[in-house]
Amino acid sequence: MTANWSAFTAAEPDLARLVEERFGAFTHHVLGTLRKDGSPRLTGLEVRFLNGELWLGMMPDSLKARDLLRDPRFALHANPGPGKDPGVGDMRISGRAFEVTDPAAKAAYGEEVEPPEPFHLFRTELTEVVRTYVEDDKYLVVQVWKPGEPVRLIKRT
């Protein structure tokens, strides 16, 4: 089961706000894709939350774009930033990315973001959103959301 960003926001508005805040704190994040041989590839990426969607834009024929065209599964990790304080926590989004080829949709994104032309644009469907943070300097807390399920809370000492 998957859900787009607006479905996640409707289901878990507080967690969605924290995730957007974390991703908004820095420009570049880490995208994990799968190479042809199935091994992982990690690359830098800018992301956008626009019009109820999480968008991934990238240069034409980049290796990460080729990876997603072949296998849409991805993991996206928010830039942890400088120092040891992760702010609102460590954020990860997993899902599938599907290329947008509709000229009107790409043009609307282009007007908003002004990426260098040409570019690949991918719309995402989420399979999991995870927030990890430390509570009271004692507990490691993990919040896990999956479509159609309530947030699962895991606390470890």
Side-chain angles (χ1 to χ4, degrees), residues 95-135:
R96 293 180 184 84
F98 301 99
E99 186 173 30
V100 175
T101 56
D102 175 59
K106 279 187 83 171
Y109 176 87
E111 286 175 22
E112 192 77 32
V113 178
E114 299 180 357
E117 296 278 348
F119 64 96
H120 284 288
L121 179 61
F122 293 87
R123 182 187 57 76
T124 61
E125 289 287 327
L126 314 179
T127 56
E128 183 178 69
V129 177
V130 178
R131 174 186 179 213
T132 305
Y133 62 98
V134 176
E135 182 179 277

Side-chain angles (χ1 to χ4, degrees), residues 6 15 36 83 99 116 131 139 143 152:
S6 64
L15 181 56
K36 233 188 280 193
E99 186 173 30
R131 174 186 179 213
Y139 300 102
Q143 291 177 289
R152 192 175 74 210

